[in-house]
Amino acid sequence: MSQIITKNPYSHKTIQKYALFSQKTMLQALQRADDRFNFWRHTNFDERADLMYQLARLLKKQKRALAELITQEMGKTINESVAEIEKCAWVCEYYAEHAGDFLKDRIISTDAQTSFIRHEPMGAVLAVMPWNYPFWQVFRFAAPALMAGNVGLLKHASNVTGCALKIAELIQQAGFEEGCFQTLLIDHDLTAELIKQPKLKAVTVTGSEAAGRKIAAKAGKNLKKTVLELGGSNAFVVLADANLDNIINTAVTARFQNTGQSCIAAKRFIVEASIYDEFLERFKNKVEQLKCGDPMDEATSLGPMARADLAEELADQLQRSVQQGAKILIGGEQSKTRFQATIVTNVTVNTPLMQEETFGPVAPVFKAKDDEHALKVAAATRYGLGVTVCTRDPETILKQLHRFPDGAVFINELVKSDPRLPFGGTGISGYGRELSRPGIKEFINQKTVYVKTGQRLRNDNFMV
């Protein structure tokens, strides 16, 4: 592949063509990043915060144009695209406000005259990012990384190359110096070559299990730190005491926002038998109200899938599930990137739709015998990103948190990422955390400093 071609998934028209970087161009970008790091690491938090606040202002000012770019490249409905840009501004403001506190020296009482932990940036970090949230996935890495004093290199999904280039442009427009953050138009082979380079210090990956395994293996061979945020098969558990009036809309959004193309979307609905029929009928009625169509139309609530091959893969998962006894209640039709909102019943724990990650608008609904059965099925997965439990008795679930191996448990709410809370998974959903205090510390050298002396230190201002 010598070039990248982006296409509108709704109209199928070509948007733009881009030339791929040569190895020489890529290595020059890495050198710029390393050169900039040697200056950027010595800026203070106030300087970085001023730039980050300016970046947030640019995102807000340009949010409609940026949202349209997202929608044109990967098909997200325009309303959801606007919300994505607003969330990016939020994460910039959050880390501008809190990074200094998160990374200040931490005094530890020992037998030394003074001992503390100093938090220092690592250097150039490569972010390999997916197409489904083309701005948000990048900004939840970029904001903490830059505020920590690191510099970033982005290898984005090829179908959102316009978004990738725009992100780098915005960061520079905000006042960040050249080399703080760069987009690289490279293929998988050059990505592997980049990971080998000593000047690259770490890699963060958001994507599929397969992609995570390959990149982590390359990084591990070169002893590079990695954070992996991979796939999910989140359970949405509806217990018999759940308030259906409150959670039906949540259930629909949890599965069908972004046309179901989210690692943290509800992938498996597990409903207690005593309310199964009522839940299914109300869920079906709401799903049937989703308006499919042009994602640029603000009335559209379900746009196309991002690529035809992804829709075909989902159709194959659905067909294999039907062959094993599953029943299509509504939907099920696919044409190119169009995929109807689909509900599937008569599923078992072994149904492909229950075992595999489904990345699209298909909702299998499993009937559990009782609450014990429901919670057991929810935990019966190799994934561990998040789980939703709907109940009027949250205290009972809080006493059983150990039963869920997931990185997040949400009670009466869909699983979502929030700058204030750490985000990440277990099992084949990956490792490490993004966001909040833990997220900014992933690409930090937590340096132990121990001073033992018989006299008073001459300078008490060494702490930051």
Side-chain angles (χ1 to χ4, degrees):
M1 183 176 69
S2 59
Q3 65 177 351
I4 294 170
I5 301 174
T6 56
K7 293 186 176 182
N8 184 309
Y10 182 74
S11 68
H12 310 294
K13 294 179 180 179
T14 295
I15 301 172
Q16 190 60 271
K17 298 179 181 180
Y18 305 90
L20 284 169
F21 284 13
S22 66
Q23 181 169 325
K24 179 181 178 181
T25 302
M26 178 191 75
L27 294 178
Q28 287 172 339
L30 177 59
Q31 184 63 56
R32 277 194 300 274
D34 189 58
D35 291 343
R36 177 52 51 194
F37 172 66
N38 291 323
F39 290 94
W40 180 246
R41 67 179 303 171
H42 297 300
T43 57
N44 61 48
F45 287 112
D46 288 341
E47 293 175 271
R48 299 172 198 167
D50 286 344
L51 296 173
M52 198 59 68
Y53 280 125
Q54 175 60 15
L55 181 54
R57 286 190 288 269
L58 285 176
L59 287 164
K60 292 177 181 179
K61 183 178 180 180
Q62 301 180 34
K63 68 179 179 182
R64 180 69 191 196
L66 299 175
E68 289 178 359
L69 177 59
I70 293 173
T71 298
Q72 289 163 3
E73 287 201 319
M74 57 74 58
K76 189 191 304 287
T77 62
I78 190 63
N79 293 329
E80 290 179 340
S81 293
V82 169
E84 179 173 341
I85 298 300
E86 292 173 340
K87 194 170 185 179
C88 292
W90 178 22
V91 79
C92 290
E93 293 168 341
Y94 176 81
Y95 278 108
E97 180 179 355
H98 296 288
D101 178 62
F102 289 161
L103 298 180
K104 66 184 179 182
D105 290 346
R106 181 184 170 200
I107 297 175
I108 306 293
S109 179
T110 67
D111 57 347
Q113 183 157 350
T114 186
S115 50
F116 59 93
I117 299 171
R118 168 65 53 86
H119 298 95
E120 296 181 348
M122 296 176 67
V125 182
L126 172 64
V128 180
M129 293 289 112
W131 48 264
N132 58 334
Y133 289 87
F135 271 71
W136 169 243
Q137 304 280 18
V138 176
F139 272 88
R140 75 185 192 192
F141 153 73
L146 290 170
M147 283 302 302
N150 291 307
V151 294
L153 296 166
L154 171 63
K155 193 280 181 205
H156 217 325
S158 61
N159 60 326
V160 290
T161 296
C163 292
L165 293 170
K166 190 62 179 180
I167 289 168
E169 179 185 319
L170 284 165
I171 290 173
Q172 195 159 339
Q173 284 179 355
F176 291 85
E177 295 286 347
E178 183 182 14
C180 278
F181 191 93
Q182 301 171 82
T183 287
L184 308 179
L185 304 187
I186 56 177
D187 60 16
H188 297 305
D189 290 341
L190 281 189
T191 301
E193 185 62 33
L194 179 60
I195 292 171
K196 296 178 184 177
Q197 302 302 314
K199 289 183 172 66
L200 187 81
K201 302 304 180 183
V203 186
T204 181
V205 181
T206 300
S208 68
E209 175 196 351
R213 287 183 184 276
K214 290 177 182 177
I215 294 172
K218 292 180 176 69
K221 186 176 181 179
N222 291 277
L223 297 179
K224 303 290 177 69
K225 170 74 181 288
T226 54
V227 169
L228 303 182
E229 197 276 281
L230 308 178
S233 186
N234 290 6
F236 192 101
V237 181
V238 183
L239 299 182
D241 68 342
N243 186 330
L244 295 185
D245 290 336
N246 291 344
I247 63 97
I248 286 294
N249 286 336
T250 301
V252 174
T253 302
R255 173 65 275 193
F256 295 100
Q257 70 175 350
N258 203 24
T259 315
Q261 300 168 119
S262 171
C263 57
I264 54 172
K267 308 285 175 62
R268 300 174 294 138
F269 289 85
I270 301 167
V271 186
E272 273 199 71
S274 61
I275 61 166
Y276 180 88
D277 290 340
E278 183 183 359
F279 171 85
L280 189 61
E281 182 62 24
R282 295 176 69 168
F283 186 55
K284 171 178 171 288
N285 290 341
K286 287 291 183 180
V287 172
E288 287 177 329
Q289 293 173 26
L290 294 175
K291 184 179 184 299
C292 304
D294 184 349
M296 289 296 292
D297 182 347
E298 293 186 0
T300 297
S301 51
L302 193 74
M305 292 186 66
R307 300 196 315 262
D309 62 304
L310 299 170
E312 290 164 2
E313 181 179 328
L314 182 63
D316 175 70
Q317 290 174 306
L318 176 60
Q319 183 59 34
R320 286 187 285 115
S321 296
V322 169
Q323 289 173 351
Q324 293 184 22
K327 305 292 184 184
I328 297 174
L329 181 64
I330 61 169
E333 296 296 321
Q334 176 255 332
S335 175
K336 296 183 179 179
T337 55
R338 317 289 171 85
F339 206 114
Q340 291 180 324
T342 302
I343 298 176
V344 179
T345 61
N346 202 41
V347 294
T348 71
V349 292
N350 296 316
T351 300
L353 291 175
M354 294 284 287
Q355 283 291 313
E356 303 169 5
E357 180 178 30
T358 51
F359 223 68
V362 175
V365 187
F366 177 90
K367 184 187 291 187
K369 291 179 291 186
D370 51 29
D371 59 347
E372 178 65 24
H373 186 211
L375 298 182
K376 184 177 180 180
V377 172
T381 176
R382 298 184 303 148
Y383 296 93
L385 203 50
V387 60
T388 289
V389 182
C390 300
T391 177
R392 296 177 196 257
D393 182 19
E395 291 185 7
T396 296
I397 300 303
L398 291 173
K399 293 175 183 177
Q400 301 184 73
L401 291 177
H402 62 279
R403 298 186 62 173
F404 307 104
D406 307 74
V409 177
F410 280 64
I411 299 175
N412 298 322
E413 179 60 286
L414 55 85
V415 178
K416 55 188 176 182
S417 57
D418 182 318
R420 299 164 295 188
L421 296 169
F423 179 85
T426 63
I428 63 172
S429 290
Y431 51 75
R433 291 295 179 266
E434 297 177 303
L435 301 176
S436 189
R437 185 189 300 265
I440 199 171
K441 289 188 176 181
E442 286 287 2
F443 300 117
I444 285 291
N445 175 19
Q446 300 192 53
K447 179 181 290 184
T448 292
V449 181
Y450 181 104
V451 181
K452 192 169 186 178
T453 177
Q455 59 188 14
R456 180 180 175 83
L457 294 173
R458 291 189 300 273
N459 184 0
D460 293 328
N461 297 321
F462 55 85
M463 304 294 288
V464 297

